[in-house]
């Protein structure tokens, strides 16, 4: 098995700690928070990322998906307050070959009530540090042009426009960004604001 394949899926079994956050494997009890993320999404996101007319996915649908992935793999970790244990959202890696083959894409989403405190930057920094330790040299991120908060986080982490946008759609321009992980800052001051 290649080193890349060995690294794939391993993040979902890790627990990462930062100054203010714990990033841990997802649990069925996270379903309610993840459902809230679905309800808070911008109206411009594609339909498959929003609740449908029947209100799906429901909390039960999300809980079932988490339970099924627990036996398979999930590379998205739950982001929670290290002191209180309150879940805020998720951050992790996905391997859908949006960039070069075998290179991860970072994904993060936090509840609106927790934004502008630097949590997304702090969580993503920990995930990227893990990616370096797993042997990855680059990471990718796709972001909607209108998603200014996420674009700011990615800029702080050293992501730059790759020049390989996905085709524009009615949802806007989807920018594919990339960073060389060896040059990603090891420590980012979360008190400097941002997502």
């Amino acid at each position: 098995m290649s080193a890349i394949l060995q690294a794939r899926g391993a993040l979902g079994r890790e627990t990462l700690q930062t100054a203010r956050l714990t990033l841990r494997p997802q649990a069925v009890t996270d379903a309610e928070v993840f459902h809230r993320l679905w309800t808070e999404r911008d109206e411009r996101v594609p339909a498959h990322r929003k609740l449908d007319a029947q209100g799906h996915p429901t909390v039960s649908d999300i809980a079932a998906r988490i339970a099924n992935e627990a036996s398979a793999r999930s590379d998205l970790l739950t982001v929670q307050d290290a002191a209180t244990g309150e879940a805020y959202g998720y951050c992790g890696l996905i391997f859908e070959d949006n960039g070069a083959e075998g290179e991860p894409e970072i994904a993060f989403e936090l509840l609106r009530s927790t934004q502008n405190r630097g949590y997304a930057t702090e969580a993503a920094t920990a995930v990227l540090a893990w990616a370096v330790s797993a042997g990855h040299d680059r990471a990718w991120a796709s972001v909607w042009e209108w998603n200014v908060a996420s674009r700011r986080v990615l800029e702080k982490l050293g992501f730059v426009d790759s020049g390989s946008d996905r085709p524009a759609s009615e949802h806007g321009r989807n920018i594919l960004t990339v960073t060389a992980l060896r040059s990603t800052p090891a420590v980012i001051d979360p008190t400097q604001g941002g997502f």
Side-chain angles (χ1 to χ4, degrees):
M1 185 182 299
S2 75
I4 289 175
L5 290 177
Q6 289 173 346
R8 288 181 64 159
L11 178 60
R13 293 186 291 274
E14 296 287 331
T15 297
L16 307 176
Q17 194 70 44
T18 71
R20 301 178 298 166
L21 303 171
T22 300
L23 286 75
R24 59 161 175 76
Q26 293 181 3
V28 171
T29 55
D30 299 326
E32 189 172 315
V33 170
F34 293 165
H35 185 264
R36 282 181 50 204
L37 291 171
W38 280 82
T39 66
E40 293 182 355
R41 288 190 177 140
D42 190 284
E43 63 186 35
R44 294 171 283 189
V45 301
H48 74 278
R49 299 279 294 149
K50 294 189 273 193
L51 296 177
D52 67 18
Q54 293 76 37
H56 290 277
T58 64
V59 173
S60 296
D61 295 336
I62 295 169
R65 181 192 52 79
I66 293 170
N68 289 338
E69 286 185 358
S71 61
R73 74 165 187 88
S74 175
D75 294 312
L76 298 177
L77 300 173
T78 296
V79 176
Q80 68 181 37
D81 186 289
T84 68
E86 181 182 358
Y88 294 156
Y90 65 82
C91 183
L93 301 174
I94 54 178
F95 293 86
E96 294 181 356
D97 298 323
N98 288 322
E101 185 177 339
E103 292 181 339
E105 181 174 356
I106 192 158
F108 52 85
E109 185 176 15
L110 301 178
L111 294 171
R112 286 184 185 170
S113 62
T114 65
Q115 294 176 7
N116 294 316
R117 298 180 191 173
Y119 292 149
T121 304
E122 189 172 336
T125 299
V127 167
L128 293 176
W130 178 90
V132 168
S133 73
H136 296 288
D137 295 320
R138 291 194 310 181
W140 300 83
S142 62
V143 61
W144 293 104
E145 185 173 38
W146 46 260
N147 189 342
V148 176
S150 292
R151 288 177 55 203
R152 265 196 318 263
V153 170
L154 293 171
E155 287 171 12
K156 288 179 186 179
L157 296 169
F159 283 81
V160 296
D161 191 328
S162 70
S164 300
D165 293 358
R166 294 181 177 153
S169 71
E170 68 273 14
H171 307 291
R173 179 175 171 234
N174 192 267
I175 304 166
L176 187 60
T177 64
V178 64
T179 189
L181 292 178
R182 304 288 182 216
S183 65
T184 300
V187 177
I188 294 176
D189 184 353
T191 62
Q192 295 301 306
F195 195 154

